[in-house]
Each structure stands twice: as C-alpha cells, then as structure tokens.
Amino acid sequence: MELSDAAPINTAMLNELKQRADWRGVPLMASFELTWNCQWHCIHCYVVRDDPYSAEMPLEYWKQAADELADMGAFLVVLTGGEPLLYPHFWELLEHLHKRRFYTRLYTNGALLTDDDVDRLVDLGVATVDISLHGPDAATHDAISTEPGSFDRVMKVIRKIKTTNIYLSLKTNLLMQNYEKVDEWRKLVESLEAQAKLSLMLTPSNDGDMAPVSMGLGEKEMIQVLENKVIREIYLGDTLPDEKAAEKPPLLALGCSAGSTTINIAPNGEIFPCLQFQLSLGNIRNQSLERIWGHSSNRYYLNGIRAIYAEGCQGCELSGHCPRCPGIAYVETGSCWVPPPSTCEKTEKLINARRRFHSKRS
C-alpha cells in the first residue's frame, strides 16, 4: 500500500513526513502479516498458505519489531494477513501498538469481528479498517469468498463500524464474477458513506501462479464497465496516451517506496520491501530490524528502483498509464528491473478498451 491511502491523514503533512523519512533513510510505514491463514478462500487471493514464510512468530518478536520501528521513527502499522484476527495474540499486539502510539490500520475480511470487538478497536486506537466487499449482494460476494453467509456477516460488521469514529474503506477487484454488478456495488458503498476502492489490477500468487490474474476482465468487459460514467471518471480514469507519449522518458516505479520508507514483515519474521515484493532483506528473529535495514545487501540493491528506467519501458506509449510494480515484476520474472508481463497486458487491454469506447461515442 501507499501511505497516501492512509486516510484521513493530512496530505501535506504526510508528504513532508515521507520526504524526511526518505532523506533520513528510515521506514515510515510497516505492514505486519501476522498470519497467512484465513477462514475464507477467495478465488483471486495471492497468498500461498503453505509458503516457506508462513510459520507464525511468537508475540515477543512482533512486540520487538514494533519497538524498533517506533525507535527508528515509523508511525504507521498495517495489520494484515491472511486474516489477521486469526493470529492468536492479535489483541495483545494491538494493545502494544496502542501503547507505542502508532497510527494503526487493519486489513480484514471483517467476518470475525463482534460488536464488542469493534468497540475494542476504537478503544485501542485503530484509525482505519479496510474490508473486502466483493459484491453488492450475497450471491456475488459469497461466490468469490467461497464462504456461504459471509456477505450478511460482513454487512452487519460494516454497519457497526459506521457507528464509530473509525475510518472505513471497502475494497474490491473487478473480476469476471462481479463486474456486471459494479454500479450496484458503488451505490451500496456510497450509501454506507465509506471510502470505495475499486481496482482492475490482479496480482499473481506469491509462488508465481498466474491463476488469480486470469480472472481479470477482457477488453469487452472493460468497455461495458466504462459505459458507467461515474465508474469511468472517478475510479478507472478516462485518459488516453497522447501522440508523443512514446517520445517521453518512461515513468520509473511510480514513486515506489518499497524498501525505502515502507517495510513488510511476513508471519515468520522475514523482512520484505512490501507486501507483494518477496525479496528477503533478513529476518528479525536472527538480527535486529535496525541492522537489517541499515546493512542488508538486498536493500542496497533496491536503491536504483526509483532512479533507473525499467528495461522495455523506454518508448512505450503506455508508460504513463501503467502501474508498474517492481514486486509483481519480481514474482513473475525474478527481476524487479523489467516490466511485469501481466501488468503490461492489463494496461494494454484497458487503453484499447478506452479507445474503442471513445470511438463508439464519436
């Protein structure tokens, strides 16, 4: 995630913090993948549950990580998974983060939260909760989560959260299984007065399996989605490459902060640049976080991400529209210095869909 997603933080203040952290070479935000277990089995999930990094750490190491991050100057921690509430010591860790005065954000499917749990999140200072809502109705959502009754359960939790001061974000990926309901989804989220996060991009599994990506939309389905004016203009964009786009220098990594101001810790303590970038920097069970951050050879390897053009991007007319992710490139190709093929393909489909949509209107 980008720090700019961490509403409702003042944007100007956040940009200044990012600049200072970048200049000092310290992490500003960390994501804690507490567990890769989940009671749902969403059809497009990228998490591999029996991954070598999936063995869960004792609470003491998470507390140690939080303490070191606080001492280094980090202020935002995202608790994620899998489903983070399945981690046996979730609440103890949350209490510790609250004591260390972190801005805490929770990524969850929401289904395990009771009314008392939501009140406890408030008491422990959780600022933002992100919930995956895969459709506007039970039939659509439950088919994607593969958990019967999950939609009704999540909606109850959502309504409870809306009675609190927690900032609520509802998110989904557009899949072949839900794209026809996208406008109903939007209207539902807006009626709940929550932030809507809608994405066309899908990522391969952490082991490189491309099955999740194959569930994305084709050009025909994208055109159908673009017919909706609100979705088109607010969520997906409506611009086309200009005629001289190919003559311009390519974007680098779109301001990627992986390994510079952001850090990710896997369930077993392995340190990665971000959630989707499994390039090991070290393990907090073997070394201090401060030493890993300051001395990892792989972290020095990442220094050029924002300063060196990716091979194959120079001269590409889509470079200004492509959300190139070094982490996804690393999963797909073994290198973070090349464009990920799935992203190139998806961006090309979207631009072609926009062109065809505009030609139909002219």
Side-chain angles (χ1 to χ4, degrees), residues 134-359:
H134 300 310
D137 52 55
T140 306
H141 174 92
D142 293 1
I144 294 172
S145 72
T146 69
E147 184 70 19
S150 58
F151 177 82
D152 293 336
R153 175 67 192 136
V154 170
M155 288 302 299
K156 180 181 178 182
V157 173
I158 287 170
R159 292 192 171 95
K160 169 61 179 177
I161 291 175
K162 287 303 299 178
T163 67
T164 74
N165 62 354
I166 293 175
Y167 188 86
L168 177 64
S169 175
L170 302 178
K171 56 188 180 181
T172 193
N173 296 90
L174 282 179
L175 311 170
M176 294 297 290
Q177 291 82 354
N178 67 3
Y179 80 95
E180 293 182 307
K181 299 287 187 74
V182 64
D183 198 47
E184 295 174 48
W185 180 89
R186 173 189 67 83
K187 290 176 180 177
L188 173 61
V189 175
E190 290 178 356
S191 73
L192 294 166
E193 298 182 336
Q195 181 192 38
K197 297 182 71 176
L198 184 67
S199 177
L200 280 169
M201 303 307 294
L202 294 163
T203 62
S205 298
N206 286 339
D207 61 1
D209 186 350
M210 300 302 291
V213 176
S214 68
M215 298 176 190
L217 307 188
E219 286 183 28
K220 177 182 176 182
E221 292 77 24
M222 288 184 186
I223 292 172
Q224 184 174 332
V225 171
L226 291 170
E227 296 281 356
N228 186 296
K229 187 174 187 293
V230 177
I231 297 294
R232 182 177 72 249
E233 294 182 355
I234 297 179
Y235 297 104
L236 300 183
D238 195 26
T239 59
L240 293 169
D242 61 54
E243 294 180 356
K244 296 184 178 181
E247 301 174 11
K248 298 178 181 179
L251 294 180
L252 308 181
L254 304 180
C256 179
S257 58
S260 60
T261 57
T262 65
I263 190 171
N264 179 70
I265 305 178
N268 76 327
E270 207 75 15
I271 303 294
F272 299 129
C274 78
L275 280 166
Q276 295 178 317
F277 198 163
Q278 288 197 339
L279 175 69
S280 178
L281 307 181
N283 192 296
I284 60 170
R285 300 174 77 163
N286 303 324
Q287 291 180 298
S288 71
L289 183 56
E290 184 175 10
R291 179 164 183 81
I292 292 171
W293 190 257
H295 298 277
S296 169
S297 59
N298 276 343
R299 185 164 173 267
Y300 290 118
Y301 169 75
L302 297 175
N303 285 342
I305 282 181
R306 293 177 297 166
I308 300 175
Y309 297 149
E311 298 176 19
C313 291
Q314 183 73 49
C316 177
E317 68 166 353
L318 305 180
S319 62
H321 299 258
C322 179
R324 185 177 79 82
C325 170
I328 295 177
Y330 186 74
V331 171
E332 291 188 24
T333 70
S335 170
C336 60
W337 305 103
V338 299
S342 68
T343 304
C344 296
E345 180 182 357
K346 182 66 69 176
T347 303
E348 184 175 10
K349 285 181 180 179
L350 178 58
I351 295 302
N352 288 342
R354 287 177 182 168
R355 283 173 171 152
R356 290 172 60 186
F357 171 74
H358 282 289
S359 67

Side-chain angles (χ1 to χ4, degrees), residues 35-42 44-45 49 79-86 90 106-114 121 129-134 141-142 144-147 149-158 161 168-171:
T35 179
W36 283 342
N37 289 323
C38 185
Q39 79 277 31
W40 292 1
H41 292 79
C42 296
H44 61 299
C45 184
R49 303 187 189 201
L79 299 179
T80 185
E83 172 48 55
L85 276 94
L86 287 174
F90 172 83
L106 174 63
Y107 285 3
T108 176
N109 61 41
L112 296 177
L113 289 169
T114 65
L121 293 178
V129 172
D130 295 71
I131 291 179
S132 300
L133 187 66
H134 300 310
H141 174 92
D142 293 1
I144 294 172
S145 72
T146 69
E147 184 70 19
S150 58
F151 177 82
D152 293 336
R153 175 67 192 136
V154 170
M155 288 302 299
K156 180 181 178 182
V157 173
I158 287 170
I161 291 175
L168 177 64
S169 175
L170 302 178
K171 56 188 180 181

